[in-house]
Amino acid sequence: MRRAFVGKRWIHQVKDYDHEKGITYWTKNYRTGLELNDPEALDRRYEYYDPIYTLPESGQAFWRAQPALVTKH
């Protein structure tokens, strides 16, 4: 069986994908040492964001309309 990556995640870990906004939702199939007693560790959904320039115009417009996140160091 040939395996494929989807944005640094194995394709079998992908649970959903929003084509317009470019968001991949994935779950882990492993636990880290910190998650050994976490019953939700394998069900938690994580997000991966595609680069905005690769999205259709409607998706790019969505992200342009979002308020900018500013962090102070």
Side-chain angles (χ1 to χ4, degrees), residues 18 20-21 23 55-67:
D18 184 322
E20 182 179 12
K21 296 175 185 170
I23 305 172
L55 303 178
E57 183 54 40
S58 59
Q60 291 182 33
F62 170 82
W63 290 111
R64 280 194 300 268
Q66 301 309 302

Side-chain angles (χ1 to χ4, degrees), residues 6-73:
V6 176
K8 298 188 179 184
R9 296 290 157 218
W10 290 107
I11 198 161
H12 69 271
Q13 292 176 271
V14 173
K15 297 299 178 193
D16 194 17
Y17 180 66
D18 184 322
H19 292 270
E20 182 179 12
K21 296 175 185 170
I23 305 172
T24 302
Y25 300 93
W26 58 276
T27 58
K28 295 187 334 184
N29 61 352
Y30 59 89
R31 292 179 194 268
T32 66
L34 298 174
E35 300 169 321
L36 293 177
N37 296 317
D38 183 353
E40 298 176 7
L42 301 181
D43 295 321
R44 190 170 292 118
R45 285 173 38 138
Y46 298 89
E47 299 171 352
Y48 173 84
Y49 299 90
D50 291 341
I52 293 173
Y53 73 89
T54 66
L55 303 178
E57 183 54 40
S58 59
Q60 291 182 33
F62 170 82
W63 290 111
R64 280 194 300 268
Q66 301 309 302
L69 295 176
V70 177
T71 58
K72 293 183 179 184
H73 298 278

